[in-house]
Amino acid sequence: MKQILVSGVLGLFLSLIGTPLLIRLLASRGYGQMIRDDGPKAHHSKRGTPTMGGIAFILATLVAYAATKVITGDKPTMSGVLVLFLTAGLGLVGFLDDYIKIVKQRSLGLRAKAKMAGQLIVGIAFAVLALNFHDSRGQTPASTKLSFTSDFGWSVGPVIFVIWALFMILAMSNGVNLTDGLDGLATGASVMVFAAYTVIGVWQYGQWCGAPVSANGACYEVRDPLDLAVVAAALMGACFGFLWWNTSPAKIFMGDTGSLALGGALAGLAICSRTEMLLAILGGLFVLITMSVIIQVGSFRLTGKRVFRMAPLQHHFELKGWSEVLVVVRFWIIQGMCMAVGLGVFYAAWVAAS
């Protein structure tokens, strides 16, 4: 448990002190955010705010994890390393998108096909590697079985698993990207989900099949539950530190660099902890906002009418007159309830199984 505390504190500290350094660097180079002209008018004042802030919490997470292993003397695990690989890999794709938009002054950033190709390459590499690296018990970081609070049913095979993993990775990375439209909204919501995965990792480690189990034999078949909690704690701390500077009025935005990385981290944690479908509840706000875009686009194409004044959903409420801070806080409350329900379902499933 010492590892979890150390990684969380280091992630928080490194992000808290590293983000203002990044702000000064980006501001000196004029790497500012471009704002959509058709968005809420209140957002026009944000034009020029430094972006690509995801660099700060990605580096803070990576350094915190590595430093934790050095300080505690514990070895990295493949599950932890692969989640960090997915996080940093998608962060790199997002960085290229941000860089082209801001430095090259091309409003759309990476071409859609190039951006998708980058996400697919990183996602496929993660999925394939996660089915390898057996431990002494024959467990791999990921399983070819579908999972909710644990694996269930029969194996879907490696090909279907890779497709399923790609769907999760793309859905979550784009979900966080859509949520990242108001100061602190995506960052604060991500902190809550990473906190949930820290709790899940600790609980799974306490009921782990790799350790002596209870008399009824109930346990979790997860390769490296404790290390997944260490990664989740590092991400939670790093996002918390970033939130200090990203909350309203934001001094820096995470950009696609951060949003794609966070979505990848969430999908990676869900896959490696065998809680794939539970992520839809734990990250309910991201699902809700993504669905608002799907509904808006579908309605307009089918009927020519819009359901919301603007999508994603947070901008609909802004155009209804809610202040930005009010939208963020209320959406955080929604995400908090989703996290609580998700953890409740996770624990209830354990009680039912035992």
Side-chain angles (χ1 to χ4, degrees):
M1 302 307 171
K2 177 183 176 182
Q3 293 184 69
I4 297 171
L5 179 61
V6 172
S7 67
V9 171
L10 284 176
L12 171 63
F13 176 75
L14 291 170
S15 184
L16 197 59
I17 65 170
T19 302
L21 299 178
L22 181 63
I23 292 172
R24 286 197 285 271
L25 174 63
L26 295 174
S28 68
R29 294 177 177 271
Y31 293 174
Q33 178 70 40
M34 292 183 290
I35 303 297
R36 290 170 52 183
D37 292 329
D38 60 342
K41 293 182 180 179
H43 288 205
H44 292 176
S45 62
K46 301 180 182 184
R47 195 183 305 272
T49 301
T51 187
M52 295 192 289
I55 295 171
F57 58 73
I58 292 171
L59 290 178
T61 299
L62 296 176
V63 173
Y65 179 82
T68 296
K69 296 304 176 182
V70 173
I71 293 170
T72 62
D74 293 290
K75 294 181 179 179
T77 68
M78 282 310 303
S79 297
V81 169
L82 283 175
V83 172
L84 292 175
F85 161 76
L86 182 59
T87 303
L90 290 181
L92 177 59
V93 174
F95 171 79
L96 293 175
D97 189 43
D98 287 333
Y99 184 83
I100 292 172
K101 277 190 285 191
I102 297 164
V103 179
K104 301 297 183 182
Q105 293 295 302
R106 196 170 81 196
S107 60
L108 295 178
L110 279 175
R111 303 298 182 190
K113 290 183 179 179
K115 187 174 182 180
M116 178 63 73
Q119 290 176 292
L120 289 176
I121 290 170
V122 175
I124 291 172
F126 166 81
V128 171
L129 291 172
L131 292 179
N132 292 280
F133 303 103
H134 296 76
D135 65 7
S136 59
R137 299 182 302 114
Q139 289 294 311
T140 54
S143 167
T144 54
K145 292 183 177 181
L146 297 179
S147 62
F148 183 46
T149 60
S150 60
D151 285 342
F152 66 85
W154 59 88
S155 171
V156 298
V159 175
I160 300 299
F161 166 76
V162 170
I163 295 172
W164 169 242
L166 282 175
F167 170 77
M168 287 191 60
I169 291 166
L170 292 173
M172 286 310 302
S173 58
N174 288 302
V176 177
N177 185 257
L178 290 171
T179 304
D180 182 35
L182 302 182
D183 295 353
L185 178 57
T187 311
S190 297
V191 166
M192 297 182 205
V193 188
F194 289 133
Y197 271 109
T198 303
V199 172
I200 287 172
V202 171
W203 179 260
Q204 287 180 331
Y205 182 67
Q207 322 295 332
W208 184 39
C209 293
V213 299
S214 58
N216 59 20
C219 61
Y220 290 101
E221 277 292 5
V222 179
R223 189 188 190 280
D224 308 296
L226 182 59
D227 209 40
L228 291 175
V230 173
V231 171
L235 284 160
M236 176 182 65
C239 286
F240 233 140
F242 182 74
L243 184 59
W244 180 273
W245 305 100
N246 181 233
T247 195
S248 183
K251 304 298 182 184
I252 188 170
F253 300 137
M254 68 170 69
D256 282 10
T257 306
S259 60
L260 296 188
L262 292 182
L266 292 172
L269 287 169
I271 291 168
C272 291
S273 65
R274 314 290 206 269
T275 56
E276 295 159 359
M277 296 181 185
L278 185 65
L279 180 58
I281 301 176
L282 291 170
L285 180 65
F286 302 124
V287 175
L288 177 65
I289 288 176
T290 301
M291 289 304 299
S292 73
V293 175
I294 294 173
I295 292 170
Q296 183 85 326
V297 173
S299 175
F300 186 75
R301 288 183 177 177
L302 291 173
T303 68
K305 296 180 180 179
R306 294 179 173 86
V307 176
F308 307 105
R309 295 188 180 184
M310 185 177 179
L313 188 60
Q314 61 269 32
H315 300 314
H316 166 78
F317 288 103
E318 277 194 291
L319 293 178
K320 286 191 67 175
W322 292 18
S323 69
E324 180 175 2
V325 172
L326 181 62
V327 175
V328 170
V329 172
R330 286 182 173 173
F331 274 41
W332 280 352
I333 292 171
I334 293 172
Q335 174 52 43
M337 291 189 291
C338 291
M339 179 191 71
V341 171
L343 287 175
V345 170
F346 177 79
Y347 181 69
W350 168 258
V351 171
S354 58

